[in-house]
Structure formats: structure tokens, C-alpha cells
Amino acid sequence: MADQPQSKSNGQNEIVQPLLTDLYQITMAYAYWKSKKTDDYAVFDLFFRKNPFSGEFTVFAGLEECLKLIQKFRFSDSDIAYLRQILPSTIENEFYEYLKTLTTDNIKFYAVKEGTVVFPKIPLIRVEGQLVVAQLLETTLLNLVNYASLMTTNAARYRLAAGHLKLYEFGLRRAQGPDGGLSASRYSYIGGFDGTSNVLAGKLFNIPVKGTHAHAYITSFNSIDELQLITLRNNNMGSEENFVRPVLKWREKLISMFGVILSEVNDGELAAFISFAIAFPDGFMALVDTYDVKRSGLINFCAVALGLHDFGYKAIGIRLDSGDLAYLSNVARDYFEKISNEYAVPYFSRLVIMASNDINEETILSLNDQDHKIDSFGIGTHLVTCQKQPALGCVYKMVELNGEPRIKLSQDVGKVTIPGRKDVFRLYGTTHSLIDLLQKADESPPIAGQKTLCRHPFQESTRAYVIPTRVEQLLNLYWQDGQICNRLPTLEETKTHVENSLKLIRPDIKRSLNPTPYKVAVSDNLYYFLHKLWLDNAPIGELS
Amino acid sequence: MADQPQSKSNGQNEIVQPLLTDLYQITMAYAYWKSKKTDDYAVFDLFFRKNPFSGEFTVFAGLEECLKLIQKFRFSDSDIAYLRQILPSTIENEFYEYLKTLTTDNIKFYAVKEGTVVFPKIPLIRVEGQLVVAQLLETTLLNLVNYASLMTTNAARYRLAAGHLKLYEFGLRRAQGPDGGLSASRYSYIGGFDGTSNVLAGKLFNIPVKGTHAHAYITSFNSIDELQLITLRNNNMGSEENFVRPVLKWREKLISMFGVILSEVNDGELAAFISFAIAFPDGFMALVDTYDVKRSGLINFCAVALGLHDFGYKAIGIRLDSGDLAYLSNVARDYFEKISNEYAVPYFSRLVIMASNDINEETILSLNDQDHKIDSFGIGTHLVTCQKQPALGCVYKMVELNGEPRIKLSQDVGKVTIPGRKDVFRLYGTTHSLIDLLQKADESPPIAGQKTLCRHPFQESTRAYVIPTRVEQLLNLYWQDGQICNRLPTLEETKTHVENSLKLIRPDIKRSLNPTPYKVAVSDNLYYFLHKLWLDNAPIGELS
């Protein structure tokens, strides 16, 4: 196995355990045990029925965490003691002994590669083997896949909206709990973000971490006199020099250059910037909206940045956390360009402008339509809580038992499960994928260059012949005989896979407004199998 | 300290640590350190600006987790090693040595009692003392309070909607991660739920756990012949007897009683019910909507329940997981009542009807307007992800530094912070609380029976004299001199406190539709203090 930075212990592991489940899984286990069905051979599919965020694609994630669960699945003595306490006293003692012996050794676990773009109805995970264990895994697997996939999909959508701009996840304080915050950092990075503000996520997952200061830092200074440390090492001269004096001189120049009045420029803010620049002369990035952006924040920032320039350092840029971001970014860029020209400091025109106020996918799309000059976004609440749709609806359904197909009927066609042990193939054209095809597992796979009949699962006359240039089997075996049997990618590899997987999906399927649904089909064989089973299972009424 | 079932290690603890924060807290700490400001005496308020869910109240929660953070706040060697790796190389070595020495010994931590109903603008937490530590706590405290309070508030709203009906949290599979699921169980219980399906939450927090079986259990049986175990101990006779035969007899009677055709009644479903009843003769609760509720599920359930009755057991009831819940609950109650009368089984008319399909606050309110017969709800996604509003917007603002007030100005009046070290008092009338009053901490508290002037913080002419019958100081000191200095309630006590706290709030403030805003006022003294500071800090422009 390759070294995996993400496999460091992350606390989350602690609570991912067999008891992190719904009680009915345990009561069912007992009922199966009483009925001597525990060792029946079951096949379960994990899939979803509808893409999130009014979109037409989803990115599958959470696989590595699922495998960790499978790997360490075992009821502890204290688990058993707790279950004895809460379950009815009529439960036979041997059942608890039996529970203690359960492992995932008799389970096979198939899954789509983590980071793959996926669609409704296709199995993301197929668990097969010993009924009782396959059933006991349901809730925990769903928990691990639902939020991870939702979050990764959300991040991928932001990435598509933002194009080449930098994206940072800043959502820890608003996330759904400590681990919600950690998962948000991890999966937004996988989905296309450039980093996070979350230090622990950086430490655990080896993700780039970003951050400068908050408004509180600015407001903690009232005046320049408060500065305890006023010198900085001059990088050109190698000597420690007064840094406040040159900054104040620059500020005078800028005040007249931009027609600002001295009383409008906040001295506490300047003191805060100076002290921050002295602490981080190579990493000076300033929050400029505590007071007036145009008449205080930008003036103070530029004065300090020019001071740093004199001392042989380059400032990084600014962050805007309120107001009209498109407008203010233009004002800022204009300041930077004017200074760049006036004082021949070329990099000044390219200083970073970061925006971070209540950004969501729509804000970014709307800013795209305006003439903004923002280089990077810091995104919190909307991203990490997936505010637009905070849950993905993956389900876990039994599709076969002891070789017999199982179907869950519903008056709602969208809720009918596709029965049987199935494989999924992605059929590619020359540039993009064309269709996903579900087949019975005993059918021979579609072959590149050969005509393949693809049918709509429920609309009889909706069919098409597809001649794929390439065929990919989506489900891979990850666990059998009690061990992981497939290489797990690193976090960086998964991130790259998301990017590549998205590139193979047509743009109209990925667009934000009125996206085209991707086609998911069944083979002719599976079509007839499904519909025969449906008829066999649907009750026949009598008219009287 | 009283024994606290919820203080068992819960994994979550693992990741609640100083590094679970935004990087800018650490960069600010360095800048403070360079500026020799680390030991400045700071006061921070944690508060929110808007109640969630379009409501007019919020329930404060998360305090116990905050105190655990405060208690163990210390950077580990590996934290320091990681920070050295990611922070600029210009950072002085002594800073890392300094970070390692930091504790919360020089911090005082005040908070509203966990489970108290709270309102915008009032400080839920006040942290004071050593600036650097108070600042470093920001992100983690916000993370711990935001979701806990949101979730508790959401649960309290469901409780208000559901009246005396039972409420169970079933959301683990859709929660935002493993810990999202655990927190949801814990805080929905505190907020008014009767239990959860989450077994680990039950184990860790000593919360009642509920559950029966899933559709997969039902579909795992095809026919009665499959039953491996067909006997059950007859409680009246004390002997093991064939249980299938009496059930089949009952089913025949019921089929003719309710005019159903035998081919419509699913045999797999009956087999599943029988096997489950044999496993849980005292706890038989059946999911009746896998096939047709009226023509299969209810018939099969009643047949098994009557069989159990013959054997000296009482069934518990049914769960409905799809369809028109009001209508189906009436059908089910009608079946139960008819059987109760026909066969003189009195408790049959009171069998439990649980509903669990995509329930939210609005569904419950709408069902209230219909004539439903549901006794209890199992609630998942909407509850645990707080779908209506998945984040609470608590902020953490510096309000005083070294005795000098700090104010964050904003063009948006709602975003102006109320400066200074403040106390909060709740003024009660004879039945309900009247108003919350913010005062400067050095003012004398309002006194019961005495006229107290309460002013709107921003509208000059909005004022009222209030004569409270009782005055409650809301902020309590929980941490000083490096230890917890106030008793922490048990989970059950906090749950009771939520209930009592809500009772003291007027109904019109708690209602779902167009609730009345609760009044939060400032003292006359604080009013002038705030407005003078505002004027002093707002820049004066010049017209030219």
C-alpha cells in the first residue's frame, strides 16, 4: 500500500465503529439469528436517486473511511455489555456471544473509485456475503458516504464556477460539529479547493492551510503610539531599522495621491497592519474592511506594503470581508495599478485580492458576470454545511438473497430498486463519457468498438445503440477474505481523479443552470429481468 | 461535581483541541506576541444576531463541550512541530516555546446556563483575561456552540409542534459525518426528543434508543415456508408452541373482516413479521408499508399481534414510512379499533402508530390540522441537518481591551457590536419573562419590584419602564483560576431546563407562524456609552 497521509489517526476513527448505527440493525440481526438466516448470501447496493444542488452530477467520496470501518468492524466487550443493558431480557445469551465473533471476513466490498463522478441509480458500493454483517454495515456506510460525497460535490461545483481562481475553505466555525468541520476541509480539498483555514485538517490530512488575521486583531490597536515594536530588519541592508517612519511617509503620499483626508484614515488600523507586517514581513496579507475600505483600509495597506518594499519584502495582498465585492475589488486593483505605475513597483499591480463574505456558488457565478478583480475566495458556511441542500439521500438496498433477486416496489417509479447483482460500465465516446450501463453481473461486458444496446430502465421505447471507444468497469473489489485487496490512492491522487473524472463529463451536464441529465441505462437482459420481477411481485387486484 | 453520564469519552473529544481552529488565530497570536500584547486584558462576547428557522428564539447549548476544551487547552509537541512546518521560517523560535506554555489558567469563562432560551445580541459566553488565549479560543468555541445550539433549537421547535406526541431522532445515516450524527442525537434529546435510533449515542450519553426493522428485513423473506423457527413460548401455558398456525387462522378471519383478497396479502411480509415477533414477542413493532398498507401490511401485522395476544404477549404497534400519513394512520386506527371491539382486546385500540417518512416541523404542523392518529414520529434528515437553516451565525467579538471598550462599526446597524464588559439580566413578569436587559458590568443589577428603564439599543425613542417580579442574572462564571467553578448539570437536568426555560417564554414568541420578537434592551447608561463610543469612532467626512 502506498503511504497515505490521510490515514493518520484523526479522532473521527474513534467513533466510527459498529455501534455507530441504528438500533434496528441490531434487532434485525437478532431476528435473523433466531431465524437462522445470518449466513444467507446477500447483495446490497448503495446508491442515490437524485443529484444534489439541482445539479446533474455527484462526486463519490468517503470510500477510505468505509474501508477503515470494514477493517476494524468488531463489537467490543463494552458494546456487548451496553446492548445487554438496552435490549429485551428475552434475547438469548448465545446471541451476544455470536455478535462478539462477527467480523467482515465473509464480506466482499466493491466500490466506485473515490472521487469518480457518479449518477443516480448506479451502485456506488456493492456489499455482498454474510447477510447479518452486510445488514449491520448499512447505517454507518451511509453516514460515511452521504456527507463526504455531498461535500465533495459541493466543492467541485464551486471549482467549476470559479475557474482558475483560488478557493479556500474557511467554514470551521459554522460547520456541523468538530468533525463536520474536519470532513468539510478534507472533502472540499478533494473536490477542488486549494486549501483550508482549519489547522487540524492541515495537520491530519496534509492540506495547505491559509490565514492572516481577523477584525479583532485590527480593533485591538487604537493608535500608532501603542506599537511596542517599531523596527524591522531591512532585507536590503541587513540592519534593524525603524519601520514606522517610512510607512507614515508613504501614507502621506498616498493620502494626497488618492484624495483622502487624514482624519478618515484609521490609526489603529495602521498600527495593526504595521505590527502584522513586522511579524510576517514575507507574508503580509491584510483585512482592509474594518473601517472604510477606500479611505482607510487600502491607504493603510498600501503604505505598509510600500514600506515593506523599501525594506526588501513583497506584500501578498488584501482580504475583503464585506460590501460590494466586485466594486471594491476594482477599486483595490485600481489603487494597486496606479501605485505600480507611479512608483515603478511592477508586482504591486498583481497583489492578491481575496474575498470572503458569505460567498456561495451563485455569488461566484454572479461575480463572473460582473467585471471583478478578485483572485481568490475564502468560503465558509454555504460550503461546509452545503446550505443549498444539506443532505445527500444515499440508500442501501438488498438486491439479491441466496441468488434470488429482491426488488423494492413503490408506486413512485423513481423509488423502484433495480434488482440483482449488477455491474456498471461507463461507455466513452472520443472526448466524453456517453452513458452508464447497468448489467446483470453474469452478462459479458460491453466491448469497445461494438454496438451495445442501452435501454431506459423504465420507459420501454427509450433505447439506443452505443458504440463506445472505451469501456470502464466502475465497480472495483476493495475488500475480500478479511483484507483490503486494492490500492487506495493518496488524498492528492483522489483530488486529481476528481478533476480528471469531471473533465470526461460533457459541459452541459455540469453547468449550473438547467443542466442536461446524464443517461444511466440498463442492458436488454436486465431490462426484461427487472420488469418480469416487477410483474411477479406486484399484487393483482380484483375488480368487483 | 455530580456524576455526568455525558462526560464519558466520546471520541469527539479527541479532535476538540487547540489546533481545531483557523490558522489566522495562530498568526495573530504571533503578531500579538511580537507586539508584546499577549497579556493584555481582553473581553470577548460570543453572541448571534438572528434567530434561526425564521423563529424568534434559540436554545443555547454546547457549554459542556466548551468547558472540556478550556480544561484541556494545551498545544502538544506534535502540534508545535506541525506549526513550525507550516508557518514562515521568519517566526522566532521563542514563540513556539511560548505557545507550549499557554494554558487557560488566566482566563475567566462566563456563560448562560446550557439549555436556556436566548435571543440575539445577548452574550451567551463572555471570555475574559489574557488576550492571546481568549483569541485562540474563538473558532473552536464557535464551532462547539453553533451546531449544538442550532440542533437543540431545531429539536425544541419540533417538540413545540408535536405537543405530547413522542419524537425520535432517526437521522444518523444522513447526518453531516459520524460526529454530526452523534451530536444530533445528543442535542435533539436535550431539545425535547424522547430518544434516538443511534446506538452509540445511547451508549455515550445514556439516551433511550429505539428501533425495530427495515424494509430489507421484510424483503429478505419470500414465503412462510422459509421460516426456520415456527414455535414461540406460550406465556399463558409456559410451553413452546407452533406460532404460525394461530397467526394464519387470524389472518383468514381478518381477510374476510376487512374485505381483502388473499393474493393481495404478501406472504414474505407475514413470514418476516412472524420471525420478528418470535424474536421480540414483548417488543413487536412492525413496518407495514413494504407492500400495500391496507391490503397487506395491516392485515399481516394484526394477525401476528392477535397471535401474540393468544400467547400472552402484547404487540407494541406499527411504523408507517410512506404515503399519506394522516389517512393511513386513520385507516390503521380504524383497523385496531374494529379488532379491539370485535375480539374484546382493549389495548388493541391503543396500539402505537409511528410515522417516519421525511417529517419536518411543517409536516407535523400540517398533520395537526388534519385528523391524524399518529402517536409518535421518527425524524431524520430535516432534523439532524437542520435543513431549513443548516448553520447558526454565532460570532465572537472583542468588546473591551485593557479596560477600554472596543466597538465594531458597520453600515448595517444589526452588525454593530455592543461594547464593554456587560452583564445580562432576564426580567420576569408574573408568568413569563418580559425582557432581557444588557448593562455595563459595573452597574448595579435591576431589582425585583423596582422600576427599571429599558431602552432599545439603537432606536432613541423606544424605551419602557419595567417592574420585574423576578430578576435573573444570565451569565454565570464557569471557569477561573484553571478550574471549573460551577456545577455542570447532567444531560437530563439540561433537558428539563430547556423545557422549563421555554415555558417562561410567551407563546406568541415561540409560535411557528409570524412569531413576535422578544425584546432585548440596554440600560440607559449602556445606551449612552454605546452611542458616545460610536460617534467617537465613526470617521467624519468633509464635504468639498
Side-chain angles (χ1 to χ4, degrees), chain A residues 19 21-24 27 37 78-79 82 143 146 172-173 176 197 199-200 202-203 212 219-220 385 406, chain B residues 19 21-24 27 37 78-79 82 143 146 172-173 176 197 199-200 202-203 212 219-220 385 406:
Chain A
L19 277 204
T21 191
D22 292 309
L23 182 64
Y24 75 9
T27 50
K37 285 171 78 77
S78 92
D79 292 346
Y82 176 67
N143 177 280
N146 269 327
L172 175 58
R173 63 189 60 198
Q176 297 203 343
S197 65
V199 189
L200 188 59
K203 184 182 178 194
T212 53
T219 56
S220 78
T385 64
R406 285 293 186 275
Chain B
L19 277 204
T21 190
D22 293 308
L23 182 63
Y24 76 9
T27 50
K37 285 171 78 76
S78 92
D79 292 346
Y82 175 67
N143 177 280
N146 269 326
L172 176 59
R173 65 189 60 198
Q176 297 204 341
S197 65
V199 190
L200 188 59
K203 185 182 178 196
T212 52
T219 57
S220 78
T385 65
R406 286 293 186 274

Side-chain angles (χ1 to χ4, degrees), chain B residues 28-284:
Chain B
M28 279 193 278
Y30 179 62
Y32 283 139
W33 183 79
K34 282 286 282 183
S35 311
K36 302 188 175 37
K37 285 171 78 76
T38 50
D39 293 336
D40 283 12
Y41 195 93
V43 182
F44 285 87
D45 281 353
L46 187 151
F47 61 98
F48 61 88
R49 299 187 178 110
K50 203 173 171 314
N51 290 300
F53 313 122
S54 313
E56 290 296 349
F57 73 92
T58 300
V59 182
F60 169 62
L63 173 60
E64 185 176 337
E65 294 304 304
C66 291
L67 286 166
K68 284 188 197 160
L69 167 74
I70 304 269
Q71 209 162 15
K72 68 174 197 181
F73 183 93
R74 218 170 227 293
F75 290 96
S76 71
D77 290 344
S78 92
D79 292 346
I80 301 291
Y82 175 67
L83 291 175
R84 277 181 193 275
Q85 186 187 318
I86 60 163
L87 288 173
S89 58
T90 50
I91 286 196
E92 293 172 46
N93 192 45
E94 297 87 83
F95 172 67
Y96 296 109
E97 297 305 317
Y98 172 74
L99 268 191
K100 272 173 72 172
T101 66
L102 285 183
T103 66
T104 50
D105 288 358
N106 297 316
I107 287 292
K108 282 187 190 173
F109 183 96
Y110 296 81
V112 169
K113 191 172 168 188
E114 185 154 13
T116 303
V117 178
V118 291
F119 304 98
K121 295 193 205 76
I122 73 169
L124 313 180
I125 289 174
R126 187 176 79 214
V127 176
E128 51 180 85
Q130 199 181 8
L131 169 61
V132 66
V133 175
Q135 179 68 65
L136 280 166
L137 291 170
E138 175 179 19
T139 306
T140 329
L141 291 180
L142 287 171
N143 177 280
L144 294 173
V145 169
N146 269 326
Y147 179 59
S149 300
L150 186 75
M151 188 62 239
T152 309
T153 307
N154 203 19
R157 296 179 62 90
Y158 278 79
R159 170 46 66 211
L160 288 170
H164 66 284
L165 302 182
K166 296 276 181 196
L167 292 173
Y168 298 98
E169 177 270 310
F170 281 3
L172 176 59
R173 65 189 60 198
R174 302 284 166 83
Q176 297 204 341
D179 163 72
L182 271 187
S183 303
S185 307
R186 173 179 179 170
Y187 294 108
S188 60
Y189 184 66
I190 288 178
F193 272 56
D194 297 289
T196 177
S197 65
N198 183 339
V199 190
L200 188 59
K203 185 182 178 196
L204 294 175
F205 309 127
N206 203 18
I207 297 174
V209 192
K210 280 272 168 178
T212 52
H213 52 241
H215 291 117
Y217 186 80
I218 309 295
T219 57
S220 78
F221 290 84
N222 262 338
S223 73
I224 312 236
D225 307 338
E226 282 174 28
L227 286 171
Q228 300 278 332
L229 180 66
I230 57 170
T231 62
L232 174 64
R233 186 176 169 281
N234 187 320
N235 233 356
N236 302 320
M237 320 296 281
S239 54
E240 195 77 14
E241 293 175 19
N242 183 309
F243 181 62
V244 177
R245 225 174 295 138
V247 167
L248 286 173
K249 274 194 192 138
W250 275 118
R251 189 164 77 161
E252 267 172 54
K253 287 185 193 167
L254 294 174
I255 280 173
S256 82
M257 182 171 173
F258 292 103
V260 171
I261 300 152
L262 187 60
S263 68
E264 294 178 312
V265 194
N266 190 290
D267 278 353
E269 183 179 52
L270 183 66
F273 287 176
I274 289 174
S275 72
F276 208 81
I278 288 175
F280 297 98
D282 278 323
F284 181 56

Side-chain angles (χ1 to χ4, degrees), chain A residues 10-12 14-17 19-28 30-32 34-37 44 76 78-79 82-83 86 88 90-91 135 138-139 142-144 146-147 172-180 182 197-200 202-203 207 209-217 219-222 226 228-229 261 263-264 275-276 278-280 282 290 319 381 384-385 387 390-395 397-398 401 406-409 539-542, chain B residues 10-12 14-17 19-28 30-32 34-37 44 76 78-79 82-83 86 88 90-91 135 138-139 142-144 146-147 172-180 182 197-200 202-203 207 209-217 219-222 226 228-229 261 263-264 275-276 278-280 282 290 319 381 384-385 387 390-395 397-398 401 406-409 539-542:
Chain A
N10 64 5
Q12 184 173 320
E14 284 272 313
I15 58 172
V16 177
Q17 48 167 281
L19 277 204
L20 186 73
T21 191
D22 292 309
L23 182 64
Y24 75 9
Q25 309 291 2
I26 318 257
T27 50
M28 280 193 277
Y30 180 63
Y32 283 139
K34 281 286 282 184
S35 311
K36 301 186 174 40
K37 285 171 78 77
F44 285 88
S76 71
S78 92
D79 292 346
Y82 176 67
L83 291 175
I86 60 163
T90 51
I91 286 195
Q135 179 70 64
E138 174 179 20
T139 306
L142 287 171
N143 177 280
L144 294 172
N146 269 327
Y147 180 59
L172 175 58
R173 63 189 60 198
R174 302 283 166 84
Q176 297 203 343
D179 163 73
L182 270 186
S197 65
N198 183 338
V199 189
L200 188 59
K203 184 182 178 194
I207 297 174
V209 191
K210 281 272 168 179
T212 53
H213 52 241
H215 291 116
Y217 186 79
T219 56
S220 78
F221 290 84
N222 261 338
E226 283 174 28
Q228 300 279 331
L229 180 65
I261 299 153
S263 67
E264 294 178 312
S275 73
F276 208 80
I278 288 174
F280 297 98
D282 278 323
T290 308
R319 179 160 72 94
T381 316
V384 305
T385 64
Q387 193 137 14
L392 181 65
C394 280
V395 295
K397 295 289 174 191
M398 187 191 289
L401 190 65
R406 285 293 186 275
I407 191 167
K408 162 85 176 73
L409 297 178
I540 307 179
E542 270 179 38
Chain B
N10 63 7
Q12 185 173 317
E14 283 272 313
I15 58 172
V16 177
Q17 47 168 280
L19 277 204
L20 187 73
T21 190
D22 293 308
L23 182 63
Y24 76 9
Q25 310 290 5
I26 318 258
T27 50
M28 279 193 278
Y30 179 62
Y32 283 139
K34 282 286 282 183
S35 311
K36 302 188 175 37
K37 285 171 78 76
F44 285 87
S76 71
S78 92
D79 292 346
Y82 175 67
L83 291 175
I86 60 163
T90 50
I91 286 196
Q135 179 68 65
E138 175 179 19
T139 306
L142 287 171
N143 177 280
L144 294 173
N146 269 326
Y147 179 59
L172 176 59
R173 65 189 60 198
R174 302 284 166 83
Q176 297 204 341
D179 163 72
L182 271 187
S197 65
N198 183 339
V199 190
L200 188 59
K203 185 182 178 196
I207 297 174
V209 192
K210 280 272 168 178
T212 52
H213 52 241
H215 291 117
Y217 186 80
T219 57
S220 78
F221 290 84
N222 262 338
E226 282 174 28
Q228 300 278 332
L229 180 66
I261 300 152
S263 68
E264 294 178 312
S275 72
F276 208 81
I278 288 175
F280 297 98
D282 278 323
T290 308
R319 179 160 71 95
T381 316
V384 305
T385 65
Q387 194 138 12
L392 180 64
C394 280
V395 295
K397 296 289 174 193
M398 188 191 289
L401 190 65
R406 286 293 186 274
I407 191 167
K408 162 87 177 71
L409 296 179
I540 307 178
E542 271 180 37

Side-chain angles (χ1 to χ4, degrees), chain A residues 119-132:
Chain A
F119 303 98
K121 295 193 204 75
I122 72 169
L124 313 181
I125 289 174
R126 187 175 80 214
V127 177
E128 52 180 85
Q130 199 181 8
L131 169 60
V132 66

Side-chain angles (χ1 to χ4, degrees), chain A residues 348-388:
Chain A
F348 230 83
S349 64
R350 298 184 305 273
L351 287 172
V352 167
I353 300 173
M354 170 179 260
S356 62
N357 180 38
D358 211 25
I359 312 276
N360 60 23
E361 192 186 339
E362 284 68 31
T363 322
I364 298 176
L365 291 169
S366 147
L367 283 167
N368 288 348
D369 293 339
Q370 304 170 54
D371 177 34
H372 77 79
K373 297 287 160 38
I374 297 163
D375 301 294
S376 71
F377 291 102
I379 307 178
T381 316
H382 291 281
L383 175 71
V384 305
T385 64
C386 301
Q387 193 137 14
K388 205 167 162 185

